Amino acid sequence: MLKKRILVTGGAGFVGSHLCEKLLNNGHEVISVDNYFTGAKQNIAHLLENPYFENIRHDVGFPYYAEVDEIYNLACPASPVHYQFDAIQTIKTSVVGAINMLGLAKRVKAKILQASTSEVYGDPAVHPQTESYWGNVNPIGIRSCYDEGKRCAETLFMDYHRMNGVKTKIIRIFNTYGPRMHPNDGRVVSNFIIQALKNEDLTIFGEGTQTRSFQYVDDLIEGMVRMMNTDDTVIGPVNIGNPNEFTMLELARKVIELTGSSSKITFRPLPMDDPKQRKPDISRAKSLLDWEPNVQLEEGLKKTIEYFEKIIL
Ligand code: NAD
Ligand code: UDP
């Protein structure tokens, strides 16, 4: 197998750290570029001994240059709490970061993959979401810095491909969870697990009837790498997610059961523009990548609970 030099932006984050690990295990050289806004050195500490791993502190809002064969563009805070903390920085990271990384890909003739999101579908009027659905996104709400930033990045990926022949690829990632999620991330899976482990009430926003489809991180990484390895005619977008759909009430009950916690459930106001339902149609991923998720919710939750038990108890 050919050893490639691969750049991962956001490499010290939750998903990025798993991706760096997988690419190193596959025998490649990996450069992680991260400004540690939501990522952490602990996530990649175990990789630092590897002579084929390089760790660079850098903000993708500024140009970066390195001779690489492939770029995975993941740099961007992903949880609503984090991306709304500095909304302007979030949209700059998505848009200017994409321009800088696409410029690099063009210059060094690298393949580049964008970690886009199911958020491009907004509060979807089509269910499940197929890639041909254009979405229902509020352009001026509190989630817009992330949703519109990611939509604009997709536009840039398509235009660099059409205008400059850059080898671009887009995946739309649906809610992903697993070890190395930031404990204060604010996303639902980490919140519920931490609350349950501390025997505190689980906070459901709204009535808990909204749905999400949760994917375990290992499945995502497999899908990402398969997408990068497709031939240059495969641009995407391709949904990568687990189509098993749950309400937040179902998730809360499952977490309480699996942790054996004495926690109760409490209800809080639903944040603005919170999507009511979300579930990927993964037909395209199945046919183009021969991919589908293997880890179902209970198994993935058990592994994630084990991780949080170690770090918080
Ligand atoms: P994360 O917050 O753990 O990781 C993001 C990483 O990007 C962090 O290490 C952070 O420090 C880094 N970063 C942020 N701004 C940066 C900047 N300006 N320059 C350099 N680095 C910067 O989130 P994650 O869940 O690992 O998400 C990774 C990617 O996947 C993101 O692009 C996200 O939008 C996308 N995604 C994730 C999910 C999910 O459910 N986890 C769903 C859809 C899309
Ligand atoms: N949510 C919740 N309690 C929490 C955190 C989130 O009920 O403590 C809800 C949130 O309102 C949303 C769903 O869980 O409906 C998923 O939220 P998350 O932030 O994980 O991801 P996203 O909304 O971006 O899909």
Side-chain angles (χ1 to χ4, degrees):
M1 190 206 51
L2 193 65
K3 194 180 197 72
K4 291 180 277 196
R5 189 176 303 135
I6 304 176
L7 174 64
V8 178
T9 75
F14 156 51
V15 175
S17 62
H18 287 275
L19 178 63
C20 290
E21 194 175 304
K22 169 85 169 184
L23 296 171
L24 288 166
N25 286 341
N26 287 352
H28 302 297
E29 256 183 69
V30 175
I31 304 173
S32 161
V33 161
D34 202 298
N35 69 350
Y36 304 111
F37 174 49
T38 52
K41 283 190 186 158
Q42 293 101 289
N43 289 340
I44 47 169
H46 62 298
L47 306 178
L48 294 175
E49 296 289 297
N50 189 322
Y52 295 108
F53 182 67
E54 255 175 288
N55 179 34
I56 315 276
R57 181 190 287 268
H58 179 80
D59 183 325
V60 294
F62 299 91
Y64 174 77
Y65 184 82
E67 288 285 346
V68 292
D69 305 300
E70 292 177 354
I71 304 168
Y72 288 84
N73 189 37
L74 274 64
C76 185
S79 95
V81 173
H82 285 154
Y83 69 64
Q84 287 164 19
F85 173 77
D86 187 344
I88 296 170
Q89 175 62 22
T90 299
I91 198 158
K92 274 190 190 166
T93 292
S94 269
V95 176
V96 182
I99 292 171
N100 286 331
M101 291 306 124
L102 284 160
L104 173 63
K106 179 180 166 190
R107 194 162 161 192
V108 302
K109 298 192 169 40
K111 271 202 239 182
I112 180 166
L113 178 144
Q114 169 68 356
S116 190
T117 167
S118 53
E119 290 287 326
V120 300
Y121 301 121
D123 189 5
V126 167
H127 196 71
Q129 292 78 56
T130 50
E131 292 87 348
S132 56
Y133 176 50
W134 289 353
N136 177 33
V137 174
N138 177 0
I140 54 169
I142 56 171
R143 294 175 85 100
S144 313
C145 58
Y146 182 73
D147 300 8
E148 297 290 16
K150 289 284 187 177
R151 285 170 68 95
C152 182
E154 284 199 11
T155 307
L156 286 160
F157 268 66
M158 292 309 298
D159 286 334
Y160 269 77
H161 173 69
R162 282 188 288 251
M163 293 184 64
N164 299 316
V166 176
K167 296 173 210 159
T168 58
K169 298 186 181 289
I170 300 169
I171 57 165
R172 291 181 178 156
I173 304 170
F174 284 65
N175 296 65
T176 304
Y177 68 97
R180 303 198 202 123
M181 288 183 92
H182 196 295
N184 299 326
D185 190 288
R187 281 183 274 193
V188 70
V189 174
S190 44
N191 268 12
F192 283 0
I193 292 179
I194 289 168
Q195 289 162 344
L197 289 175
K198 292 182 171 170
N199 292 310
E200 291 169 359
D201 289 350
L202 272 61
T203 51
I204 286 195
F205 300 165
E207 291 170 5
T209 51
Q210 71 272 41
T211 67
R212 294 293 186 272
S213 305
F214 297 103
Q215 155 173 254
Y216 188 65
V217 64
D218 290 358
D219 285 329
L220 166 62
I221 300 300
E222 181 62 34
M224 271 182 149
V225 173
R226 284 189 190 210
M227 180 67 178
M228 182 62 104
N229 291 340
T230 51
D231 68 56
D232 297 346
T233 61
V234 179
I235 312 296
V238 176
N239 289 338
I240 301 286
N242 188 322
N244 285 338
E245 187 183 9
F246 297 88
T247 66
M248 294 313 103
L249 259 175
E250 286 170 329
L251 177 71
R253 291 190 184 122
K254 181 59 76 192
V255 169
I256 291 175
E257 176 199 321
L258 293 176
T259 49
S261 168
S262 58
S263 297
K264 302 276 175 288
I265 288 172
T266 176
F267 294 87
R268 299 269 168 84
L270 189 68
M272 181 184 176
D273 293 336
D274 200 280
K276 285 182 270 311
Q277 52 182 2
R278 195 183 283 151
K279 168 185 166 128
D281 178 317
I282 58 165
S283 322
R284 198 180 275 186
K286 279 184 181 164
S287 66
L288 284 176
L289 313 178
D290 189 24
W291 173 91
E292 63 182 323
N294 283 320
V295 184
Q296 295 313 333
L297 188 65
E298 185 155 327
E299 185 189 348
L301 283 179
K302 282 183 185 159
K303 293 182 187 183
T304 313
I305 290 167
E306 221 172 273
Y307 169 77
F308 280 116
E309 262 168 350
K310 268 193 224 128
I311 67 160
I312 67 161
L313 294 181

PDB file of all heavy atoms in Angstrom, residues 282-306:
ATOM      1  N   ILE A 282     -29.446   6.502   3.763  1.00  0.00           N
ATOM      2  CA  ILE A 282     -28.039   6.171   3.475  1.00  0.00           C
ATOM      3  C   ILE A 282     -27.888   5.313   2.213  1.00  0.00           C
ATOM      4  O   ILE A 282     -26.864   4.656   2.025  1.00  0.00           O
ATOM      5  CB  ILE A 282     -27.316   5.517   4.683  1.00  0.00           C
ATOM      6  CG1 ILE A 282     -28.026   4.240   5.138  1.00  0.00           C
ATOM      7  CG2 ILE A 282     -27.163   6.499   5.823  1.00  0.00           C
ATOM      8  CD1 ILE A 282     -27.160   3.376   6.068  1.00  0.00           C
ATOM      9  N   SER A 283     -28.906   5.351   1.332  1.00  0.00           N
ATOM     10  CA  SER A 283     -28.812   4.533   0.099  1.00  0.00           C
ATOM     11  C   SER A 283     -27.558   4.882  -0.700  1.00  0.00           C
ATOM     12  O   SER A 283     -26.895   4.007  -1.255  1.00  0.00           O
ATOM     13  CB  SER A 283     -30.015   4.758  -0.815  1.00  0.00           C
ATOM     14  OG  SER A 283     -31.172   4.900  -0.091  1.00  0.00           O
ATOM     15  N   ARG A 284     -27.249   6.187  -0.768  1.00  0.00           N
ATOM     16  CA  ARG A 284     -26.093   6.595  -1.571  1.00  0.00           C
ATOM     17  C   ARG A 284     -24.782   6.038  -0.982  1.00  0.00           C
ATOM     18  O   ARG A 284     -23.931   5.530  -1.715  1.00  0.00           O
ATOM     19  CB  ARG A 284     -26.047   8.120  -1.671  1.00  0.00           C
ATOM     20  CG  ARG A 284     -25.175   8.613  -2.786  1.00  0.00           C
ATOM     21  CD  ARG A 284     -25.136  10.132  -2.888  1.00  0.00           C
ATOM     22  NE  ARG A 284     -26.227  10.689  -3.660  1.00  0.00           N
ATOM     23  CZ  ARG A 284     -26.320  11.977  -3.981  1.00  0.00           C
ATOM     24  NH1 ARG A 284     -25.405  12.840  -3.591  1.00  0.00           N
ATOM     25  NH2 ARG A 284     -27.342  12.422  -4.680  1.00  0.00           N
ATOM     26  N   ALA A 285     -24.637   6.123   0.328  1.00  0.00           N
ATOM     27  CA  ALA A 285     -23.417   5.595   0.972  1.00  0.00           C
ATOM     28  C   ALA A 285     -23.307   4.093   0.755  1.00  0.00           C
ATOM     29  O   ALA A 285     -22.227   3.554   0.522  1.00  0.00           O
ATOM     30  CB  ALA A 285     -23.420   5.919   2.466  1.00  0.00           C
ATOM     31  N   LYS A 286     -24.469   3.409   0.805  1.00  0.00           N
ATOM     32  CA  LYS A 286     -24.447   1.952   0.607  1.00  0.00           C
ATOM     33  C   LYS A 286     -23.977   1.626  -0.796  1.00  0.00           C
ATOM     34  O   LYS A 286     -23.135   0.749  -0.988  1.00  0.00           O
ATOM     35  CB  LYS A 286     -25.850   1.376   0.812  1.00  0.00           C
ATOM     36  CG  LYS A 286     -26.218   1.166   2.257  1.00  0.00           C
ATOM     37  CD  LYS A 286     -27.583   0.490   2.338  1.00  0.00           C
ATOM     38  CE  LYS A 286     -28.010   0.282   3.773  1.00  0.00           C
ATOM     39  NZ  LYS A 286     -29.438  -0.021   3.900  1.00  0.00           N
ATOM     40  N   SER A 287     -24.512   2.343  -1.795  1.00  0.00           N
ATOM     41  CA  SER A 287     -24.155   1.954  -3.162  1.00  0.00           C
ATOM     42  C   SER A 287     -22.765   2.472  -3.565  1.00  0.00           C
ATOM     43  O   SER A 287     -22.006   1.761  -4.200  1.00  0.00           O
ATOM     44  CB  SER A 287     -25.226   2.389  -4.162  1.00  0.00           C
ATOM     45  OG  SER A 287     -25.257   3.779  -4.215  1.00  0.00           O
ATOM     46  N   LEU A 288     -22.398   3.689  -3.149  1.00  0.00           N
ATOM     47  CA  LEU A 288     -21.102   4.235  -3.594  1.00  0.00           C
ATOM     48  C   LEU A 288     -19.930   3.713  -2.769  1.00  0.00           C
ATOM     49  O   LEU A 288     -18.828   3.534  -3.267  1.00  0.00           O
ATOM     50  CB  LEU A 288     -21.096   5.764  -3.472  1.00  0.00           C
ATOM     51  CG  LEU A 288     -21.862   6.563  -4.521  1.00  0.00           C
ATOM     52  CD1 LEU A 288     -21.802   8.037  -4.171  1.00  0.00           C
ATOM     53  CD2 LEU A 288     -21.274   6.314  -5.908  1.00  0.00           C
ATOM     54  N   LEU A 289     -20.176   3.495  -1.467  1.00  0.00           N
ATOM     55  CA  LEU A 289     -19.065   3.164  -0.560  1.00  0.00           C
ATOM     56  C   LEU A 289     -19.155   1.744  -0.025  1.00  0.00           C
ATOM     57  O   LEU A 289     -18.256   1.318   0.718  1.00  0.00           O
ATOM     58  CB  LEU A 289     -19.051   4.129   0.644  1.00  0.00           C
ATOM     59  CG  LEU A 289     -19.185   5.632   0.368  1.00  0.00           C
ATOM     60  CD1 LEU A 289     -19.202   6.411   1.675  1.00  0.00           C
ATOM     61  CD2 LEU A 289     -18.043   6.124  -0.515  1.00  0.00           C
ATOM     62  N   ASP A 290     -20.250   1.066  -0.342  1.00  0.00           N
ATOM     63  CA  ASP A 290     -20.490  -0.251   0.241  1.00  0.00           C
ATOM     64  C   ASP A 290     -20.374  -0.162   1.767  1.00  0.00           C
ATOM     65  O   ASP A 290     -19.734  -0.972   2.421  1.00  0.00           O
ATOM     66  CB  ASP A 290     -19.479  -1.268  -0.334  1.00  0.00           C
ATOM     67  CG  ASP A 290     -19.841  -2.683   0.076  1.00  0.00           C
ATOM     68  OD1 ASP A 290     -21.023  -2.921   0.362  1.00  0.00           O
ATOM     69  OD2 ASP A 290     -18.926  -3.540   0.141  1.00  0.00           O
ATOM     70  N   TRP A 291     -20.983   0.891   2.301  1.00  0.00           N
ATOM     71  CA  TRP A 291     -20.859   1.192   3.736  1.00  0.00           C
ATOM     72  C   TRP A 291     -22.219   1.216   4.411  1.00  0.00           C
ATOM     73  O   TRP A 291     -23.185   1.696   3.820  1.00  0.00           O
ATOM     74  CB  TRP A 291     -20.203   2.574   3.902  1.00  0.00           C
ATOM     75  CG  TRP A 291     -20.175   3.063   5.323  1.00  0.00           C
ATOM     76  CD1 TRP A 291     -19.179   2.875   6.235  1.00  0.00           C
ATOM     77  CD2 TRP A 291     -21.198   3.826   6.003  1.00  0.00           C
ATOM     78  NE1 TRP A 291     -19.518   3.463   7.431  1.00  0.00           N
ATOM     79  CE2 TRP A 291     -20.750   4.047   7.321  1.00  0.00           C
ATOM     80  CE3 TRP A 291     -22.450   4.326   5.624  1.00  0.00           C
ATOM     81  CZ2 TRP A 291     -21.488   4.763   8.257  1.00  0.00           C
ATOM     82  CZ3 TRP A 291     -23.197   5.029   6.563  1.00  0.00           C
ATOM     83  CH2 TRP A 291     -22.712   5.246   7.861  1.00  0.00           C
ATOM     84  N   GLU A 292     -22.280   0.689   5.600  1.00  0.00           N
ATOM     85  CA  GLU A 292     -23.407   0.955   6.486  1.00  0.00           C
ATOM     86  C   GLU A 292     -22.925   0.809   7.922  1.00  0.00           C
ATOM     87  O   GLU A 292     -21.929   0.136   8.176  1.00  0.00           O
ATOM     88  CB  GLU A 292     -24.614   0.063   6.194  1.00  0.00           C
ATOM     89  CG  GLU A 292     -24.388  -1.396   6.389  1.00  0.00           C
ATOM     90  CD  GLU A 292     -25.634  -2.213   6.019  1.00  0.00           C
ATOM     91  OE1 GLU A 292     -26.759  -1.751   6.279  1.00  0.00           O
ATOM     92  OE2 GLU A 292     -25.454  -3.320   5.498  1.00  0.00           O
ATOM     93  N   PRO A 293     -23.609   1.454   8.871  1.00  0.00           N
ATOM     94  CA  PRO A 293     -23.118   1.382  10.253  1.00  0.00           C
ATOM     95  C   PRO A 293     -23.263  -0.008  10.852  1.00  0.00           C
ATOM     96  O   PRO A 293     -24.218  -0.720  10.541  1.00  0.00           O
ATOM     97  CB  PRO A 293     -24.001   2.387  11.002  1.00  0.00           C
ATOM     98  CG  PRO A 293     -25.168   2.645  10.123  1.00  0.00           C
ATOM     99  CD  PRO A 293     -24.772   2.342   8.728  1.00  0.00           C
ATOM    100  N   ASN A 294     -22.315  -0.370  11.710  1.00  0.00           N
ATOM    101  CA  ASN A 294     -22.316  -1.692  12.345  1.00  0.00           C
ATOM    102  C   ASN A 294     -22.682  -1.642  13.812  1.00  0.00           C
ATOM    103  O   ASN A 294     -23.087  -2.639  14.389  1.00  0.00           O
ATOM    104  CB  ASN A 294     -20.893  -2.292  12.296  1.00  0.00           C
ATOM    105  CG  ASN A 294     -20.583  -2.819  10.928  1.00  0.00           C
ATOM    106  OD1 ASN A 294     -21.446  -3.419  10.295  1.00  0.00           O
ATOM    107  ND2 ASN A 294     -19.365  -2.575  10.453  1.00  0.00           N
ATOM    108  N   VAL A 295     -22.436  -0.490  14.461  1.00  0.00           N
ATOM    109  CA  VAL A 295     -22.595  -0.414  15.920  1.00  0.00           C
ATOM    110  C   VAL A 295     -23.949   0.221  16.252  1.00  0.00           C
ATOM    111  O   VAL A 295     -24.207   1.363  15.871  1.00  0.00           O
ATOM    112  CB  VAL A 295     -21.453   0.436  16.544  1.00  0.00           C
ATOM    113  CG1 VAL A 295     -21.564   0.445  18.064  1.00  0.00           C
ATOM    114  CG2 VAL A 295     -20.095  -0.093  16.096  1.00  0.00           C
ATOM    115  N   GLN A 296     -24.791  -0.549  16.944  1.00  0.00           N
ATOM    116  CA  GLN A 296     -26.103   0.012  17.285  1.00  0.00           C
ATOM    117  C   GLN A 296     -26.052   0.722  18.637  1.00  0.00           C
ATOM    118  O   GLN A 296     -25.062   0.633  19.361  1.00  0.00           O
ATOM    119  CB  GLN A 296     -27.182  -1.070  17.223  1.00  0.00           C
ATOM    120  CG  GLN A 296     -27.400  -1.633  15.808  1.00  0.00           C
ATOM    121  CD  GLN A 296     -27.530  -0.562  14.702  1.00  0.00           C
ATOM    122  OE1 GLN A 296     -27.949   0.581  14.945  1.00  0.00           O
ATOM    123  NE2 GLN A 296     -27.147  -0.902  13.474  1.00  0.00           N
ATOM    124  N   LEU A 297     -27.124   1.469  18.921  1.00  0.00           N
ATOM    125  CA  LEU A 297     -27.091   2.436  20.027  1.00  0.00           C
ATOM    126  C   LEU A 297     -26.640   1.832  21.369  1.00  0.00           C
ATOM    127  O   LEU A 297     -25.769   2.391  22.032  1.00  0.00           O
ATOM    128  CB  LEU A 297     -28.455   3.117  20.176  1.00  0.00           C
ATOM    129  CG  LEU A 297     -28.494   4.271  21.169  1.00  0.00           C
ATOM    130  CD1 LEU A 297     -27.619   5.434  20.712  1.00  0.00           C
ATOM    131  CD2 LEU A 297     -29.929   4.766  21.357  1.00  0.00           C
ATOM    132  N   GLU A 298     -27.224   0.696  21.730  1.00  0.00           N
ATOM    133  CA  GLU A 298     -26.917   0.154  23.062  1.00  0.00           C
ATOM    134  C   GLU A 298     -25.419  -0.171  23.207  1.00  0.00           C
ATOM    135  O   GLU A 298     -24.782   0.190  24.195  1.00  0.00           O
ATOM    136  CB  GLU A 298     -27.780  -1.085  23.312  1.00  0.00           C
ATOM    137  CG  GLU A 298     -27.605  -1.606  24.699  1.00  0.00           C
ATOM    138  CD  GLU A 298     -28.807  -2.408  25.189  1.00  0.00           C
ATOM    139  OE1 GLU A 298     -29.955  -2.099  24.804  1.00  0.00           O
ATOM    140  OE2 GLU A 298     -28.568  -3.347  25.956  1.00  0.00           O
ATOM    141  N   GLU A 299     -24.872  -0.803  22.172  1.00  0.00           N
ATOM    142  CA  GLU A 299     -23.440  -1.176  22.207  1.00  0.00           C
ATOM    143  C   GLU A 299     -22.559   0.078  22.257  1.00  0.00           C
ATOM    144  O   GLU A 299     -21.595   0.166  23.034  1.00  0.00           O
ATOM    145  CB  GLU A 299     -23.140  -2.005  20.946  1.00  0.00           C
ATOM    146  CG  GLU A 299     -21.732  -2.559  20.899  1.00  0.00           C
ATOM    147  CD  GLU A 299     -21.404  -3.182  19.548  1.00  0.00           C
ATOM    148  OE1 GLU A 299     -22.327  -3.394  18.711  1.00  0.00           O
ATOM    149  OE2 GLU A 299     -20.195  -3.430  19.316  1.00  0.00           O
ATOM    150  N   GLY A 300     -22.884   1.052  21.440  1.00  0.00           N
ATOM    151  CA  GLY A 300     -22.102   2.290  21.397  1.00  0.00           C
ATOM    152  C   GLY A 300     -22.213   3.060  22.702  1.00  0.00           C
ATOM    153  O   GLY A 300     -21.224   3.617  23.201  1.00  0.00           O
ATOM    154  N   LEU A 301     -23.416   3.088  23.274  1.00  0.00           N
ATOM    155  CA  LEU A 301     -23.592   3.804  24.550  1.00  0.00           C
ATOM    156  C   LEU A 301     -22.762   3.144  25.647  1.00  0.00           C
ATOM    157  O   LEU A 301     -22.143   3.840  26.452  1.00  0.00           O
ATOM    158  CB  LEU A 301     -25.070   3.824  24.956  1.00  0.00           C
ATOM    159  CG  LEU A 301     -25.974   4.824  24.226  1.00  0.00           C
ATOM    160  CD1 LEU A 301     -27.418   4.695  24.720  1.00  0.00           C
ATOM    161  CD2 LEU A 301     -25.492   6.267  24.389  1.00  0.00           C
ATOM    162  N   LYS A 302     -22.732   1.804  25.652  1.00  0.00           N
ATOM    163  CA  LYS A 302     -21.956   1.112  26.699  1.00  0.00           C
ATOM    164  C   LYS A 302     -20.483   1.524  26.636  1.00  0.00           C
ATOM    165  O   LYS A 302     -19.861   1.799  27.660  1.00  0.00           O
ATOM    166  CB  LYS A 302     -22.087  -0.409  26.533  1.00  0.00           C
ATOM    167  CG  LYS A 302     -23.405  -0.952  27.056  1.00  0.00           C
ATOM    168  CD  LYS A 302     -23.438  -2.460  26.923  1.00  0.00           C
ATOM    169  CE  LYS A 302     -24.803  -3.014  27.332  1.00  0.00           C
ATOM    170  NZ  LYS A 302     -25.062  -4.344  26.777  1.00  0.00           N
ATOM    171  N   LYS A 303     -19.931   1.586  25.421  1.00  0.00           N
ATOM    172  CA  LYS A 303     -18.517   1.968  25.281  1.00  0.00           C
ATOM    173  C   LYS A 303     -18.299   3.425  25.716  1.00  0.00           C
ATOM    174  O   LYS A 303     -17.272   3.774  26.299  1.00  0.00           O
ATOM    175  CB  LYS A 303     -18.071   1.823  23.818  1.00  0.00           C
ATOM    176  CG  LYS A 303     -18.054   0.389  23.333  1.00  0.00           C
ATOM    177  CD  LYS A 303     -17.553   0.341  21.904  1.00  0.00           C
ATOM    178  CE  LYS A 303     -17.700  -1.073  21.350  1.00  0.00           C
ATOM    179  NZ  LYS A 303     -17.172  -1.235  20.011  1.00  0.00           N
ATOM    180  N   THR A 304     -19.272   4.262  25.402  1.00  0.00           N
ATOM    181  CA  THR A 304     -19.134   5.687  25.734  1.00  0.00           C
ATOM    182  C   THR A 304     -19.277   5.897  27.241  1.00  0.00           C
ATOM    183  O   THR A 304     -18.553   6.698  27.847  1.00  0.00           O
ATOM    184  CB  THR A 304     -20.189   6.503  24.956  1.00  0.00           C
ATOM    185  OG1 THR A 304     -20.164   6.062  23.592  1.00  0.00           O
ATOM    186  CG2 THR A 304     -19.906   7.985  24.997  1.00  0.00           C
ATOM    187  N   ILE A 305     -20.192   5.142  27.846  1.00  0.00           N
ATOM    188  CA  ILE A 305     -20.377   5.226  29.306  1.00  0.00           C
ATOM    189  C   ILE A 305     -19.079   4.809  30.007  1.00  0.00           C
ATOM    190  O   ILE A 305     -18.618   5.470  30.947  1.00  0.00           O
ATOM    191  CB  ILE A 305     -21.566   4.333  29.750  1.00  0.00           C
ATOM    192  CG1 ILE A 305     -22.885   4.951  29.270  1.00  0.00           C
ATOM    193  CG2 ILE A 305     -21.577   4.129  31.273  1.00  0.00           C
ATOM    194  CD1 ILE A 305     -24.096   4.037  29.351  1.00  0.00           C
ATOM    195  N   GLU A 306     -18.467   3.728  29.512  1.00  0.00           N
ATOM    196  CA  GLU A 306     -17.199   3.251  30.083  1.00  0.00           C
ATOM    197  C   GLU A 306     -16.134   4.357  30.049  1.00  0.00           C
ATOM    198  O   GLU A 306     -15.405   4.575  31.014  1.00  0.00           O
ATOM    199  CB  GLU A 306     -16.707   2.095  29.214  1.00  0.00           C
ATOM    200  CG  GLU A 306     -16.118   0.921  29.933  1.00  0.00           C
ATOM    201  CD  GLU A 306     -15.876  -0.199  28.926  1.00  0.00           C
ATOM    202  OE1 GLU A 306     -16.806  -0.992  28.669  1.00  0.00           O
ATOM    203  OE2 GLU A 306     -14.767  -0.238  28.369  1.00  0.00           O
TER     204      GLU A 306
END
